[in-house]
Structure formats: C-alpha cells, structure tokens
Amino acid sequence: MNSSGEIRSNIGAVRQSLASFRAEREDQWAAFEALLDHAEKKSPRKLSEEELVQLPLLYRATLSSLAVARSAVLDAQLLAYLEALSLRGYHYLYGARGQLGPRIGRFFLTDWPAAMRSLWKETLVMFAVLAIGIIAGWRLVALDPVWFAAIVGEMAQGRGPEASAASLREILYGGGDFLSGFAAYLFVHNAQIAILAFALGFAFAVPTVLLVATNGALMGAMAQVYFAKGLGWQFVGWLSIHGTTELFAIVLAGAAGLRIGTAVAFPGESSRIDAAARAGRTAGVAMVGVIIMLLIAGLLEGIGRQTITSDLARYVIGGGMLVLWCGYYYGLRIRPKEEVPQ
C-alpha cells in the first residue's frame, strides 16, 4: 500500500510539474508562433523594430523549453509541438531564402573565384603533374615511336610518327577527319578525366594524380609527332584555342580531388569523414566552375577548330582565354554582401 501511495504521489507531482511548466511558458510559445505567422507573410524589412528584436529572443526561449521538455517532461505531444516550433523558427531565422538572381550573382562574383583561389597550392601541384606527364609522353615517343600507339590508343589510326609532314599539315588546316575526330575524342576524354580526377580524390588522391599525368602523356605524345615534323608551332596554336581552357579545367579538377585526398589522408584532429566533408565544400564549388569551363571549351573547340585557321588568331584566342581565367580567379576579389532574407 505504501508503494502504491508513493507511485500515485509521484504521478501527481509530475502532473503538477507539467501543468506548472505549461502555465509558465505557454504564453511565450503562443507569442512566438503568432510572430512567425505574421513574419512569414511579409518581408523582414516590413517588420517593426520590436518584432525583429522579439524573434530571436522568443526563439531562444522556445529552445530552452524544448531542452527542459526533453529531459523532464513526459508529454509526447508537447515535445513534438516544441520541436516543430523550434525547427520552424530556425528555418526562418537562419535558413537560406535569398532570391535566385543575387545568389547566382554571388556564385560568379565571389564563391567560384574564391574557391579556385583557395586551391592555389593544389593547382600548382597538378600543373607540375601535368607537365611531368607531357614530358614523359614526349620522351617515350621520341625514344621509340611504338609508344605513340600505346599512349594515344585507337585514335592513332596510322596517323602517328609514320605520317608525312604534308598530311599532318593538311589535317591542321584542312579540317581532316583524323584531327576532327581526335578533337571530339579529346574533349570527351578530358571531360571524363576532369570528373574522375575529382571523384576519385577520396582515395588519398592517388588516382587523381595518375589520371592527370596520363592525360599529360597523351598530349606529349601527340605534340612530339608534330614537333618532329616541324609543325610544333602550328599544332600548339590549333590546340590552344580550346586547350588552355580545357587543360586548365583538368588541372583545377585535379586540384579539387587533391584537396579531398589530402584531407582524408591527413585529417588532423577531425575524423576522416568530417575532414573530407569540409574539404568537399570548397572542392564542390570548384567543380561546378570546372563544368562551366569544359562547356566553354567545347564551344571554343566546336567553333574555333572549323572556322579559324590563322596561327596568330589561334594563339590570341587561346592566350586571351588563359589570361581571362587567371584574371577572373586570382584578380577578382569582391567581398560578398550579407544576403537579406526574403
């Protein structure tokens, strides 16, 4: 009997505590809910100064009530109500509700170039890897022409070191089928390399480095054939129209993958997952920019290869695009403005 009496007494105490808890704080919850209803129907600019002050205060009071409810209150309905109200308040106060236009503008003016600048160390490393690949491909073909077919693969089609200078020149300026096909293949290949270099960065960046180096070897092998025939200047000019954008995009994709790979390999005090997630935020923004670069490279390749045959014009376009990208990434420094919720 004593035990039953104690249980009833405890239940009564809990109910009284719950009633007291509700009575003390229910007005705050109702006020916060009404203020949210009012605020969500209009722009924050139209709220009064008092309402703007009350919003965060009531939000914090609701969070406090939720903490107490989770630890001491046995009312599931009340707990669900406070969780929903707190979540609603959080989304209003801290959720991203900027208009689409300003957000796109912010991406192009601040987020994209800032992400590329933050990857400058990784970018230099990837440029070095690409250069090593180009030198390796060049040297292998120079030492033994058999390497050309092994590196370039099915795109060789007998148009490698055994081809005459006249036929190679005709390909460069006459819109030959080989270089047309090679150009299309090269764009698809480079796009795949860029995406894979980023996606495989989590494997300690080893596949990323190998992919960029292999791509460099392909370019080195092709370049050696043309330089050996006295057409190096012409080949580089043809390639530069879209190549400066395309190869730069591959290097940046590799840099993004390297950022993730090094974060996984050397997470510091964080877990590998947390370190990779932090690195992925910057690398992800960079990869959106890389996709845009590849699309622009495709347009340059599709139009420039067919319509521009002047070596000087090719170099001007290719060099101009490289200067444009470098100026955009490393010269454009606009501080982001705080977005006003709408």
Side-chain angles (χ1 to χ4, degrees), residues 235 258 341:
F235 174 75
L258 184 60

Side-chain angles (χ1 to χ4, degrees), residues 42-339:
K42 57 173 64 179
S43 167
R45 296 186 182 92
K46 296 182 179 179
L47 296 177
S48 68
E49 184 176 342
E50 182 181 356
E51 289 172 329
L52 291 173
V53 171
Q54 285 297 312
L55 270 171
L57 294 178
L58 291 172
Y59 172 65
R60 285 193 290 269
T62 304
L63 287 182
S64 176
S65 298
L66 177 60
V68 174
R70 282 176 171 170
S71 62
V73 177
L74 301 179
D75 189 333
Q77 269 190 332
L78 176 61
L79 185 59
Y81 168 75
L82 291 174
E83 286 178 343
L85 185 60
S86 298
L87 183 61
R88 185 180 167 194
Y90 173 83
H91 281 305
Y92 182 82
L93 290 169
Y94 303 108
R97 296 179 301 278
Q99 292 181 344
L100 181 61
R103 293 184 67 185
I104 292 176
R106 174 169 177 160
F107 172 79
F108 282 99
L109 292 176
T110 61
D111 294 349
W112 182 9
M116 296 305 192
R117 281 197 302 274
S118 72
L119 295 173
W120 70 271
K121 292 180 182 178
E122 292 87 349
T123 301
L124 291 178
V125 172
M126 285 296 106
F127 263 123
V129 170
L130 182 68
I132 291 171
I134 291 173
I135 294 170
W138 177 295
R139 289 293 297 161
L140 286 171
V141 175
L143 292 173
D144 187 350
V146 174
W147 278 103
F148 180 83
I151 295 172
V152 178
E154 61 183 12
M155 290 305 301
Q157 298 179 356
R159 300 298 185 98
E162 73 281 1
S164 66
S167 63
L168 292 177
R169 178 183 289 275
E170 176 62 23
I171 290 170
L172 285 175
Y173 297 103
D177 292 336
F178 169 68
L179 208 55
S180 298
F182 181 75
Y185 165 80
L186 199 60
F187 172 72
V188 174
H189 172 79
N190 286 343
Q192 291 173 340
I193 290 294
I195 294 171
L196 285 173
F198 169 71
L200 296 177
F202 72 91
F204 304 105
V206 174
T208 297
V209 172
L210 293 177
L211 282 168
V212 174
T214 301
N215 194 72
L218 173 65
M219 299 307 305
M222 281 297 300
Q224 199 283 330
V225 169
Y226 277 86
F227 272 84
K229 303 296 183 179
L231 296 171
W233 167 265
Q234 294 86 343
F235 174 75
V236 174
W238 170 84
L239 182 65
S240 67
I241 290 181
H242 57 92
T244 52
T245 298
E246 206 166 286
L247 294 177
F248 198 6
I250 290 176
V251 167
L252 291 171
L258 184 60
R259 167 65 64 88
I260 295 177
T262 52
V264 172
F266 308 103
E269 296 182 358
S270 304
S271 67
R272 296 189 189 279
I273 293 178
D274 290 341
R278 284 197 303 271
R281 295 187 188 101
T282 297
V285 173
M287 274 307 296
V288 174
V290 166
I291 299 300
I292 295 174
M293 290 180 72
L294 289 172
L295 292 174
I296 294 174
L299 292 174
L300 290 170
E301 189 277 331
I303 298 173
R305 176 180 55 79
Q306 298 178 19
T307 60
I308 300 172
T309 57
S310 166
D311 291 332
L312 180 59
R314 288 172 171 178
Y315 274 100
V316 168
I317 294 172
M321 290 303 301
L322 182 59
V323 170
L324 178 65
W325 290 121
C326 289
Y328 175 57
Y329 291 145
Y330 308 111
L332 183 64
R333 296 174 182 269
I334 299 176
R335 296 185 62 182
K337 295 181 181 179
E338 293 295 327
E339 291 186 3

